[in-house]
């Protein structure tokens, strides 16, 4: 896979004066259009860094690709306004055109969905060790630099065999998870051996992303919904939400 990133990154925050006259450090928003084989696919509003990772992770967790082997190149323009991902195959067209779907997070939008998405598959199984959860919880509690500066972003950590391999931040929880997944694709790390820890809520769309990524477990300091818990159980995804052991449906509805 070839990465051609002419943008790199921009300032993720700056000091601004609030209406009450006080100064505050605020995160920056950056808008970019994601293209696949020159076809418009997604519009993202994100923190201005790790755009190739965001694009690759988004394609995997939304079902447009199933592995990094499908990607020939990811290219980001100098202004960071356009990210082109070129696959080594054509996209399988849907039988009916899809409408644009907005996310509840940071104004992300699926501009078009021409691909026939593969069905969800049961994720690999893994025995979670209590000390792994302690490591993740401690890292989340300590916070990453942008969160410590602004208190206004989400974080995502990737753990493999007890070691945190990668951590990133974004104004959107979906973006942060996608950036973490995309980095693992670039590094060639098997996602089947990884645990994701998100700072955000865990509704159905976040669980679906984790299932499509093929990770065995998704950890969060927030709680899931009934529907997200049911989806996780259907496909074998371990959810550790709001406490340090996997939730069952019975525990959630008590």
């Amino acid at each position: 896979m070839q990465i051609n990133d002419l943008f790199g990154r921009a300032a993720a925050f700056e000091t601004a004066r609030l209406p009450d006259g006080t100064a505050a450090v605020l995160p920056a928003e950056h808008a970019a259009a994601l293209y696949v084989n020159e076809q418009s696919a997604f519009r993202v509003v994100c923190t201005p860094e790790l755009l190739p990772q965001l694009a690759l992770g988004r394609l995997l967790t939304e079902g447009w690709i199933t592995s990094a082997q499908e990607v020939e190149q990811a290219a980001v323009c100098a202004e960071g306004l356009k990210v082109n991902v070129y696959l080594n195959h054509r996209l399988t067209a849907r039988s009916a055109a899809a409408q644009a779907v907005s996310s509840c997070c940071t104004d992300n939008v699926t501009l078009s969905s021409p691909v026939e998405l593969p069905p969800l598959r049961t994720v690999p199984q893994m025995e979670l060790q209590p000390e792994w959860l302690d490591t993740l919880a401690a890292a989340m509690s300590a916070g990453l630099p942008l969160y410590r500066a602004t208190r206004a972003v989400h974080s995502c950590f990737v753990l493999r065999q007890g070691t945190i391999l990668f951590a990133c931040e974004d104004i959107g929880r979906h973006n942060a998870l996608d950036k973490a997944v995309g980095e693992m694709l670039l590094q060639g790390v098997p996602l089947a051996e990884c645990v994701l820890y998100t700072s955000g809520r865990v509704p159905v769309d976040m669980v679906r992303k984790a299932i499509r990524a093929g990770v065995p477990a998704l950890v969060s300091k927030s709680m899931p919904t009934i529907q997200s818990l049911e989806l996780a159980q259907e496909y074998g995804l371990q959810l550790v939400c709001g406490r340090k052991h996997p939730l069952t449906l019975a525990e959630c509805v008590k």
Side-chain angles (χ1 to χ4, degrees), residues 35-253:
Y35 287 74
V36 179
N37 292 346
E38 298 290 347
Q39 181 169 350
S40 180
F42 299 93
R43 185 187 74 205
V44 296
V45 179
C46 59
T47 301
E49 61 179 347
L50 301 174
L51 296 186
Q53 289 88 336
L54 174 57
L56 294 172
R58 179 62 50 86
L59 293 183
L60 184 72
T61 65
E62 294 296 330
W64 288 56
I65 62 174
T66 58
S67 74
Q69 282 66 45
E70 299 178 50
V71 181
E72 289 187 345
Q73 183 186 51
V76 185
C77 74
E79 294 77 21
L81 302 178
K82 187 175 182 180
V83 184
N84 276 303
V85 177
Y86 299 95
L87 307 182
N88 54 25
H89 61 81
R90 293 184 177 181
L91 295 170
T92 303
R94 290 175 59 118
S95 56
Q99 297 179 344
V101 179
S102 297
S103 164
C104 64
C105 191
T106 66
D107 199 30
N108 284 343
V109 173
T110 301
L111 297 180
S112 59
S113 297
V115 295
E116 192 65 47
L117 300 181
L120 296 178
R121 295 182 178 181
T122 301
V123 301
Q125 297 304 294
M126 173 189 292
E127 184 176 350
L128 292 178
Q129 303 300 318
E131 58 268 24
W132 296 358
L133 301 180
D134 291 340
T135 296
L136 287 168
M140 186 65 74
S141 178
L144 295 175
L146 186 56
Y147 176 78
R148 290 198 298 265
T150 66
R151 302 289 173 175
V153 296
H154 283 288
S155 307
C156 189
F157 293 82
V158 183
L159 177 140
R160 183 190 185 200
Q161 298 176 352
T163 300
I164 294 177
L165 299 184
F166 185 69
C168 63
E169 301 177 275
D170 198 277
I171 54 175
R173 65 187 189 277
H174 303 83
N175 296 339
L177 186 145
D178 286 339
K179 287 179 176 181
V181 168
E183 178 65 21
M184 294 303 98
L185 293 180
L186 288 179
Q187 291 187 23
V189 175
L191 284 160
E193 300 175 4
C194 295
V195 176
L196 296 178
Y197 194 138
T198 173
S199 64
R201 295 182 296 108
V202 190
V204 166
D205 57 354
M206 289 290 282
V207 168
R208 187 182 297 114
K209 278 181 173 291
I211 293 171
R212 288 205 182 276
V215 297
L218 177 64
V219 183
S220 175
K221 64 181 182 180
S222 298
M223 298 299 287
T225 64
I226 291 291
Q227 289 73 21
S228 64
L229 186 58
E230 292 174 336
L231 183 64
Q233 291 182 331
E234 180 178 357
Y235 291 97
L237 178 71
Q238 296 183 69
L239 277 184
V240 185
C241 296
R243 45 182 161 170
K244 295 183 179 180
H245 62 82
L247 287 172
T248 66
L249 181 59
E251 289 175 320
C252 186
V253 299

